[in-house]
Amino acid sequence: MAQLFFKYGAMNSGKTIEILKVAHNYEEQDKPVVILTSGLDTREGVGYVASRIGLKREATPIFHETDVFKLVNELKEKPYCVLIDEAQFLEKHHVLALAQIVDELNIPVMAFGLKNDFRNELFEGSKYLFLYADKIEELKTICWFCHKKATMNLHFIDGVPTYSGEQIQIGGNESYYPVCRHHYLHPEDKMKEGKE
């Protein structure tokens, strides 16, 4: 029985590596998969998933107007699994389409993304995946500044932590750090340490 999975984690928790690993495992057994990603993520170019360790692969981009159910349903070869990167950028209608793929086409869907933005608010895609997913799993990583589990994403602009602005601001290690709650709320503690 197919299910809708949501695997979430802070920045640097290995979400994209996990997608590439799952795709490899299916394809090694001659079981085709479909890899989708948000068209908003342009760090490696539109239509690519890329991990921080250098692995990169083409993917079909999802835009506001993309009918994800139709896209998958009209494929000549039925995939064994649908994999989605940057799922936090999905909209409600995309998440409902993923549930429809699972329920009507009996194809498992694995969506990977951030839970919360740098303002510590849920993304739309994450919110609806939490509501509609059959299984939810946290991918863990450690805080950039200490040994605790990272649960939040701290955004820096010109070396200064920021907590306001547009929700979607594409960036990587140069502007976002995975952090624990303490260092999200008090990044100056670590910054002071560095100056002593």
Side-chain angles (χ1 to χ4, degrees), residues 3-100:
Q3 292 185 310
L4 173 56
F5 297 85
F6 180 38
K7 299 190 177 198
Y8 71 92
M11 302 284 287
N12 287 333
S13 59
K15 297 178 295 297
T16 303
I17 293 169
E18 184 71 16
I19 285 175
L20 297 172
K21 182 179 84 172
V22 170
H24 173 77
N25 288 342
Y26 271 102
E27 291 167 343
E28 198 171 39
Q29 299 174 33
D30 294 320
K31 296 174 180 174
V33 300
V34 172
I35 300 178
L36 307 172
T37 190
S38 171
L40 296 177
D41 187 358
T42 57
R43 287 174 292 175
E44 295 291 329
V46 175
Y48 287 93
V49 296
S51 75
R52 286 175 176 76
I53 64 167
L55 300 174
K56 182 175 177 178
R57 182 164 168 175
E58 280 191 66
T60 302
I62 299 171
F63 300 99
H64 168 75
E65 63 277 5
T66 304
D67 184 334
V68 181
F69 178 81
K70 183 178 179 185
L71 186 153
V72 172
N73 193 37
E74 291 181 351
L75 291 170
K76 290 179 184 174
E77 187 174 20
K78 179 181 173 182
Y80 280 78
C81 187
V82 175
L83 300 164
I84 296 143
D85 197 19
E86 304 295 346
Q88 72 272 9
F89 296 142
L90 298 177
E91 298 171 48
K92 181 179 181 180
H93 67 95
H94 296 130
V95 174
L96 291 173
L98 299 180
Q100 189 180 8

